Amino acid sequence: MSEREADANRLASAALGAGDATGWFEQLYAEARQGRAVVPWERDAPQRLLVRWADARSPVGAGRPALVVGCGHGMDAEFVASLGFDTTAFDISESAVRTARERFPESSVHYRAADLLDPPAAWTGAFALVVESLTVQSLPRQLRAHASSNVGRFIAPGGTLVVVASALASSDSPDPGPPWPLTRGEVEAFAADGGEPVAIEAVPREAPKTGHVWVAEFHRPSGSRLR
Ligand SMILES: C[S@@+](CC[C@H](N)C(=O)[O-])C[C@H]1O[C@@H](n2cnc3c(N)ncnc32)[C@H](O)[C@@H]1O
């Protein structure tokens, strides 16, 4: 474990040991606001694989609605908004959302606290672009099918979902998490409710890290109906 991961591991072990799958995120972000903890996934730039995807695909925002899942301190949400999308970004942690708003006081992004496991009904089929980076893998495996299905259900007819997630290597022991990396089948499951895979790529991690990261794109056909 790196020094950077120590606070997250301390809080995650206590919460998960008490049967609470998500409570440690708020504790971590709240401690970070007080300068007492480090958020290990904190970045001062958007997710590089999201930027790479956008460079390759040139998505046209044009005021269409986008949703960023598990937005943390907002770097990816700000990037999506810079592409011209009317961007909503949510996180289960109120403290993360508060910090994102303070970090980008002029932002057009609608930051809000919400739970991926119980999202607002109005978000079903509502977003032309959905971005999920590293959130589903931060939830215990038994919640995975529900979490990834909910992500897929946000995609509007004609819309696109981009997923970035650590890949489970065949040599990995199954459950040292968090995080809990995804198999290819678990990535495909984002399409469980009518999305269609466009591309699923395993991209090598940047050195000195080893292993791969999934970058996947899904499309919901125009005219498809969500139950
Ligand atoms: C590993 S971090 C990734 C943050 C960011 N997406 C990134 O790529 O850097 C996982 C994020 O998901 C949030 N999260 C975890 N469970 C969630 C849930 N059930 N609903 C909404 N957000 C959640 C956490 O608070 C945290 O900000």
Side-chain angles (χ1 to χ4, degrees):
M1 181 210 318
S2 73
E3 202 176 311
R4 201 171 151 75
E5 290 165 337
D7 297 311
N9 280 3
R10 164 176 56 85
L11 295 168
S13 323
L16 291 162
D20 180 356
T22 56
W24 63 277
F25 294 106
E26 172 55 25
Q27 292 170 351
L28 179 65
Y29 282 112
E31 287 195 13
R33 282 179 68 80
Q34 297 160 356
R36 295 195 291 117
V38 172
V39 177
W41 50 80
E42 173 72 1
R43 289 185 253 101
D44 57 8
Q47 161 65 256
R48 76 176 173 100
L49 295 172
L50 173 62
V51 175
R52 177 179 175 269
W53 173 83
D55 286 347
R57 305 284 287 152
S58 303
V60 178
R64 296 183 305 151
L67 184 69
V68 177
V69 176
C71 63
H73 288 164
M75 284 309 308
D76 294 349
E78 295 299 320
F79 174 70
V80 169
S82 79
L83 300 175
F85 288 92
D86 178 13
T87 305
T88 297
F90 75 100
D91 201 284
I92 198 165
S93 164
E94 298 262 5
S95 292
V97 167
R98 198 169 310 132
T99 301
R101 288 192 187 122
E102 289 170 6
R103 189 180 192 189
F104 302 106
E106 311 294 324
S107 177
S108 63
V109 175
H110 316 288
Y111 287 106
R112 58 172 291 183
D115 185 354
L116 173 61
L117 301 172
D118 186 20
W123 288 0
T124 300
F127 296 94
L129 176 65
V130 179
V131 172
E132 146 55 358
S133 163
L134 314 182
T135 300
V136 168
Q137 71 175 52
S138 74
L139 295 167
R141 283 191 196 286
Q142 64 269 26
L143 301 175
R144 177 150 302 166
H146 182 49
S148 56
S149 164
N150 280 357
V151 171
R153 290 172 61 79
F154 294 142
I155 319 169
T160 296
L161 162 65
V162 182
V163 174
V164 178
S166 304
L168 184 72
S170 50
S171 57
D172 282 351
S173 57
D175 259 333
W180 293 272
L182 276 64
T183 63
R184 185 184 174 95
E186 289 170 330
V187 174
E188 290 167 350
F190 281 91
D193 286 293
E196 292 179 351
V198 175
I200 300 179
E201 187 185 359
V203 180
R205 283 182 186 282
E206 279 183 314
K209 292 183 182 165
T210 57
H212 292 78
V213 180
W214 298 116
V215 180
E217 177 181 338
F218 301 88
H219 176 73
R220 180 179 300 287
S222 300
S224 73
R225 301 176 67 174
L226 273 154
R227 293 171 303 280

